[in-house]
Amino acid sequence: APSVNEYRFCGMEETKEAEPEKPKVIQAPAVTDITNTSAVILFQTSMAAKARIMYSPTRRGLRRRRNRKSTRYVRTRASNDFAKTIKLVNLKPGRKYWYRIFVQGGERSKRKRSFTTLRN
């Protein structure tokens, strides 16, 4: 096989293929419609993707499978500008919850964020 130098000489410079872009969360998540037992989280991804939310009543709990809960994966689509809302239910009143968004095949949100449900 010709060397790289031979390719350059012939005008056929060898190039590496660019890695395909991975989906990621591009809009900082917003928490809306907080009640004493639920909250809605809105987020946006960079492209069509499957995403879910991991949440826990403790920040450290996000790292421990037994201490965290997870929503099902939902799809973000171009028709909605890759924006999605997920409702978290069966939460406890007056409790702080930590959450993170995970995008399948891509990046997870960098920061752990929190919200507090309303008291009864």
Side-chain angles (χ1 to χ4, degrees):
S3 71
V4 173
N5 290 337
E6 289 174 300
Y7 277 120
R8 285 190 182 130
F9 181 76
C10 296
M12 299 172 52
E13 189 169 324
E14 186 175 23
T15 58
K16 289 184 180 179
E17 285 187 37
E19 288 191 32
E21 183 183 345
K22 292 182 179 180
K24 59 186 171 190
V25 176
I26 58 170
Q27 182 67 36
V31 182
T32 63
D33 300 328
I34 298 172
T35 70
N36 59 340
T37 60
S38 67
V40 175
I41 299 177
L42 168 69
F43 63 95
Q44 186 178 22
T45 58
S46 59
M47 61 178 55
K50 284 181 163 183
R52 67 181 174 164
I53 298 173
M54 300 281 206
Y55 60 101
S56 171
T58 64
R59 185 180 181 136
R60 187 171 281 171
L62 287 175
R63 286 190 253 147
R64 295 193 177 108
R65 187 168 284 191
R66 71 174 188 266
N67 294 340
R68 70 180 182 217
K69 293 187 178 187
S70 175
T71 65
R72 291 184 182 175
Y73 277 104
V74 296
R75 290 187 182 272
T76 61
R77 302 180 193 281
S79 59
N80 294 354
D81 293 327
F82 309 115
K84 197 67 176 180
T85 58
I86 297 179
K87 186 173 186 175
L88 304 181
V89 295
N90 299 323
L91 305 176
K92 293 186 178 175
R95 183 171 262 184
K96 186 174 193 171
Y97 284 89
W98 292 89
Y99 70 94
R100 229 178 184 171
I101 299 171
F102 289 82
V103 180
Q104 191 175 50
E107 297 180 3
R108 66 179 178 220
S109 58
K110 301 266 189 248
R111 289 182 40 200
K112 296 174 185 172
R113 298 175 181 270
S114 66
F115 64 90
T116 302
T117 55
L118 301 178
R119 296 185 189 283
N120 278 336

